[in-house]
């Protein structure tokens, strides 16, 4: 592939993946139960307080998706992808196995991986990072570190501070 083909591939990957992430965030704001319903769901999976996490998740998914799609602060958007998907995989999908059709963590892994790979490769010349001169400073090992290590740290911190699942009732004799 030449540079133009690589830039086109990165653009398509960023736009489709970014808009997919944004759609998930907007759905928390505008779909079904909106923020109150999302807050109840977050409470039910142990992310407390649910309303705070509903707003933060919806905002982060929406903003990170848009930033990823336009290629602005791409490594930091990818960091958000990793954090969001790690928290989702741990709180919702970890006990369901790998495959998404059984509510497994497959989808979370794919989105986080796309984030890390794009942060490592860089967003391409057809990105705002390239236009403003950030691309070469925030890709390669720096981009990989921001996305993977920053995302993992953010997820661990969030889970440590806020994940409080209900304890299963114990049977008494």
């Amino acid at each position: 592939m030449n540079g133009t083909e690589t830039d086109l591939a990165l653009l398509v990957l960023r736009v489709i993946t970014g808009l997919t992430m944004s759609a998930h965030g907007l759905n928390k704001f505008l779909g079904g139960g909106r923020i109150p319903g999302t807050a109840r769901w977050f409470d039910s999976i142990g992310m407390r307080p649910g309303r705070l996490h509903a707003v933060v998740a919806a905002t982060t998914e929406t903003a990170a998706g848009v930033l990823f799609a336009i290629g602005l602060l791409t490594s930091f958007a990818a960091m958000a992808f990793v954090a969001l998907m790690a928290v989702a995989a741990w709180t919702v999908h970890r006990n369901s196995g790998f495959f998404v059709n059984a509510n497994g963590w497959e989808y979370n892994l794919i989105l986080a991986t796309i984030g890390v790979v794009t942060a490592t490769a860089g967003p391409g010349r057809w990105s705002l990072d390239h236009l403003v001169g950030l691309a070469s400073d925030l890709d390669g090992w720096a981009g990989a570190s921001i996305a993977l290590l920053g995302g993992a740290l953010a997820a661990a911190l969030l889970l440590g501070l806020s994940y409080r699942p209900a304890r299963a009732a114990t049977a008494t004799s």
Side-chain angles (χ1 to χ4, degrees):
M1 271 196 297
N2 65 35
T4 301
E5 291 166 336
T6 301
D7 291 323
L8 177 60
L10 287 166
L11 175 68
V12 170
L13 183 66
R14 282 193 348 265
V15 168
I16 297 301
T17 308
L19 293 181
T20 297
M21 182 65 79
S22 283
H24 280 269
L26 290 172
N27 189 55
K28 288 174 176 61
F29 283 122
L30 306 172
R34 300 181 184 224
I35 291 297
T38 303
R40 286 189 298 276
W41 180 73
F42 270 103
D43 276 326
S44 78
I45 63 169
M47 290 303 293
R48 299 196 168 95
R51 180 161 180 78
L52 172 67
H53 289 290
V55 171
V56 169
T59 303
T60 304
E61 288 172 351
T62 303
V66 169
L67 289 172
F68 199 80
I70 64 176
L72 180 61
L73 301 172
T74 306
S75 294
F76 293 98
M79 179 178 77
F81 276 39
V82 170
L84 288 160
M85 294 300 100
V87 170
W90 185 260
T91 59
V92 179
H93 305 284
R94 80 174 187 271
N95 294 324
S96 300
F98 177 74
F99 295 104
V100 71
N101 64 328
N103 199 37
W105 45 270
E106 172 183 16
Y107 177 74
N108 308 118
L109 176 65
I110 295 300
L111 286 180
T113 300
I114 290 170
V116 171
V117 169
T118 304
T120 305
R125 287 182 297 167
W126 299 345
S127 67
L128 291 181
D129 279 347
H130 180 76
L131 184 67
V132 299
L134 291 175
S136 62
D137 295 331
L138 296 176
D139 62 7
W141 286 110
S145 298
I146 290 166
L148 185 59
L149 299 177
L153 180 62
L157 188 61
L158 183 63
L159 289 168
L161 291 173
S162 302
Y163 184 53
R164 303 289 179 264
R167 296 188 187 263
T170 57
T172 57
S173 357

